[in-house]
């Protein structure tokens, strides 16, 4: 008897429509944003010591990402969804306002910290976006509510800032955000979570439309408005993915074993980079929020790679971690997460050695493509 695959075709058409509408909105909005930025002289600070460009470039691309994501999310929202759309978009709007203020006039870390705490609290308390178990990591299973709430708030804030911190070269934050959201979209499709997959695809489309203008030579940056929003949606998808694959005595069999390890692999680039940079700054007696050029993308640039090469290299590395986690998920969360951290430390050590050798002039790295 023939199997009817028509429902699968309809589902994929639905997802394709989500991506196309989202990308088109983002794509057609950015030229208008660039025009307004030129007319009002709303440019990125080319004099900043952390910038790798030498001319003014608008940093309001996040406005297009936000508008595209919000419109499409509302168009395809389900009122009985796993994640309440009104709670999610409320959090997005608050974070959008914080990012826009920073992109236009700047804002202190204290203000950003307070508003991020507010957004994370809204998601945890009203949206139930929180981790309830460590799945055996450190021999901890269920987490008491009084610990689950603060841990979830801190994780949300950490990952939101992590995406903000990797937004340092052309295309990087957008490409990593694309990898993260596309991966979670595919995983949610496998789990039958249509609304969560649609949410991820909405962000995928918004990022695709933006990246056309952001790859070298960049004509616009996403700014804090875009990076904070991508970070927020990414961590919400990660937490929901973990919780929907939770082991219970009476519940259905999870679609994915070692869900926390898989989520870590998907977010490995911003996670490790932020953890590494924060640790170094604290050990040196500096504020963890003090800007510098010690991020992983800055270090790769020092080896002679271009912006595009660095972006693709980190995206490929991210995909390798995802591949490993999906194929080795039977190893368990504890083993996989510590293996990933060990690999990251090894990569960082090798990069340090190569930088020192190159700085001493012992060899020169050349590439066919620049």
């Amino acid at each position: 008897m023939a199997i009817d695959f028509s429902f699968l075709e309809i589902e994929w058409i639905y997802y394709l429509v989500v991506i196309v509408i989202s990308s088109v909105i983002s794509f057609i909005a950015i030229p208008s944003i660039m025009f307004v930025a030129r007319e009002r002289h709303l440019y990125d600070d080319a004099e900043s010591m952390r910038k790798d460009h030498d001319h003014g470039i608008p940093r309001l691309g996040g406005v297009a990402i936000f508008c595209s994501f919000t419109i499409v999310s509302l168009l395809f929202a389900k009122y009985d969804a796993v994640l309440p759309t009104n709670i999610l978009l409320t959090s997005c709007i608050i974070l959008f306002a914080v990012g826009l203020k920073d992109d236009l006039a700047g804002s202190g870390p204290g203000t950003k910290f307070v508003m991020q705490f507010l957004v994370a609290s809204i998601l945890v308390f009203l949206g139930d976006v929180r981790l309830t178990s460590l799945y055996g990591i450190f021999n901890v299973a269920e987490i008491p509510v009084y610990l689950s709430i603060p841990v979830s708030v801190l994780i949300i804030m950490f990952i939101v800032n992590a995406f903000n911190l990797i937004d340092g070269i052309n295309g990087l934050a957008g490409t990593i955000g694309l990898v993260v959201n596309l991966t979670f979209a595919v995983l949610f499709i496998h789990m039958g979570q249509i609304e969560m997959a649609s949410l991820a695809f909405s962000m995928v489309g918004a990022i695709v439309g933006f990246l056309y203008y952001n790859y070298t030579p960049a004509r616009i940056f996403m700014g804090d408005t875009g990076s904070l929003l991508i970070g927020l949606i990414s961590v919400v998808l990660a937490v929901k993915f973990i919780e929907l694959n939770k082991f219970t005595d009476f519940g259905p069999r999870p679609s994915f074993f070692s869900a926390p390890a898989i989520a870590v692999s998907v977010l490995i680039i911003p996670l490790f980079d932020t953890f590494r940079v924060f640790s170094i700054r604290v050990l040196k007696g500096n504020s963890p929020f003090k800007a510098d050029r010690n991020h992983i993308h800055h270090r790769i640039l020092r080896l002679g790679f271009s912006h595009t090469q660095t972006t693709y290299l980190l995206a490929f590395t991210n995909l390798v971690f995802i591949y490993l986690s999906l194929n080795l998920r039977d190893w368990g969360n504890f083993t996989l997460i510590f293996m990933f951290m060990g690999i990251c430390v090894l990569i960082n050590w090798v990069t340090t050695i190569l930088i020192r050798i190159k700085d001493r002039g012992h060899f020169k790295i050349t590439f066919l493509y620049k």
Side-chain angles (χ1 to χ4, degrees):
M1 183 177 64
I3 300 176
D4 183 12
F5 289 102
S6 59
F7 73 97
L8 291 176
E9 294 177 0
I10 294 175
E11 184 176 314
W12 279 106
I13 291 174
Y14 169 80
Y15 293 133
L16 182 61
V17 169
V18 171
I19 295 175
V20 170
I21 294 177
S22 183
S23 59
V24 167
I25 293 174
S26 178
F27 182 81
I28 65 177
I30 289 180
S32 297
I33 294 172
M34 291 193 294
F35 173 78
V36 172
R38 287 194 300 268
E39 291 294 308
R40 302 298 179 183
H41 303 287
L42 304 175
Y43 295 119
D44 185 41
D45 182 10
E47 299 301 321
S48 173
M49 54 85 70
R50 298 177 63 238
K51 304 301 177 183
D52 289 293
H53 57 277
D54 56 6
H55 59 284
I57 298 177
R59 58 195 309 253
L60 295 174
V63 174
I65 295 175
F66 170 80
C67 293
S68 174
F69 172 78
T70 303
I71 291 171
V72 175
S73 296
L74 288 172
L75 280 175
F76 295 93
K78 294 181 65 176
Y79 294 101
D80 58 344
V82 173
L83 176 66
T85 304
N86 60 325
I87 300 300
L88 177 65
L89 292 184
T90 297
S91 302
C92 290
I93 292 171
I94 295 173
L95 208 57
F96 169 78
V98 175
L100 187 61
K101 165 65 166 55
D102 190 52
D103 291 335
L104 293 177
S107 58
T111 301
K112 294 168 68 174
F113 180 86
V114 171
M115 298 308 293
Q116 289 170 12
F117 178 79
L118 174 62
V119 167
S121 298
I122 290 174
L123 287 171
V124 170
F125 284 101
L126 302 181
D128 197 30
V129 180
R130 66 184 181 90
L131 295 175
T132 60
S133 173
L134 285 185
Y135 293 81
I137 302 174
F138 299 116
N139 293 319
V140 177
E142 292 295 320
I143 307 175
V145 175
Y146 65 85
L147 286 179
S148 172
I149 290 175
V151 166
S152 300
V153 168
L154 289 175
I155 288 175
I156 292 173
M157 294 176 65
F158 183 84
I159 296 179
V160 166
N161 279 286
F163 273 88
N164 186 223
L165 291 174
I166 66 167
D167 183 27
I169 61 174
N170 299 340
L172 180 57
T175 302
I176 296 300
L178 183 64
V179 170
V180 169
N181 284 268
L182 186 57
T183 300
F184 278 127
V186 174
L187 295 177
F188 280 124
I189 289 175
H190 182 78
M191 296 165 57
Q193 294 290 335
I194 297 177
E195 64 272 14
M196 296 302 298
S198 299
L199 183 70
F201 278 129
S202 298
M203 181 55 72
V204 167
I207 295 173
V208 168
F210 163 79
L211 282 176
Y212 175 80
Y213 302 95
N214 186 235
Y215 281 130
T216 302
R219 287 168 280 176
I220 193 170
F221 298 143
M222 67 171 62
D224 281 15
T225 307
S227 61
L228 293 175
L229 179 63
I230 293 175
L232 182 69
I233 300 305
S234 297
V235 69
V236 167
L237 294 174
V239 172
K240 284 298 181 181
F241 171 75
I242 293 172
E243 286 298 301
L244 289 171
N245 284 285
K246 182 178 179 180
F247 283 93
T248 59
D249 293 333
F250 305 103
R253 177 186 175 91
S255 299
F256 292 95
F257 291 104
S258 303
I262 295 174
V264 168
S265 73
V266 176
L267 298 167
I268 193 68
I269 298 298
L271 275 178
F272 180 75
D273 180 60
T274 303
F275 180 79
R276 173 187 164 275
V277 170
F278 276 13
S279 298
I280 292 174
R281 290 173 184 174
V282 171
L283 290 174
K284 289 183 176 180
N286 298 325
S287 167
F289 301 102
K290 183 181 179 181
D292 56 32
R293 292 180 61 87
N294 196 29
H295 290 280
I296 187 171
H297 48 273
H298 292 133
R299 289 162 58 79
I300 296 176
L301 289 175
R302 288 178 61 185
L303 291 175
F305 288 84
S306 68
H307 281 219
T308 303
Q309 290 168 343
T310 301
T311 294
Y312 289 161
L313 178 61
L314 290 174
F316 175 76
T317 303
N318 203 155
L319 290 172
V320 170
F321 275 99
I322 294 170
Y323 175 82
L324 289 174
S325 69
L326 291 174
N327 283 275
L328 303 177
R329 58 184 183 272
D330 290 337
W331 288 19
N333 290 301
F334 185 88
T335 302
L336 284 178
I337 290 176
F338 277 84
M339 182 184 75
F340 294 155
M341 291 299 106
I343 294 174
C344 287
V345 170
L346 178 62
I347 293 174
N348 181 67
W349 178 77
V350 172
T351 304
T352 300
I353 297 299
L354 292 176
I355 290 174
R356 289 177 179 174
I357 295 175
K358 185 174 186 296
D359 289 345
R360 292 169 184 169
H362 290 181
F363 72 90
K364 182 178 180 180
I365 301 176
T366 59
F367 301 96
L368 295 176
Y369 175 73
K370 286 287 184 183

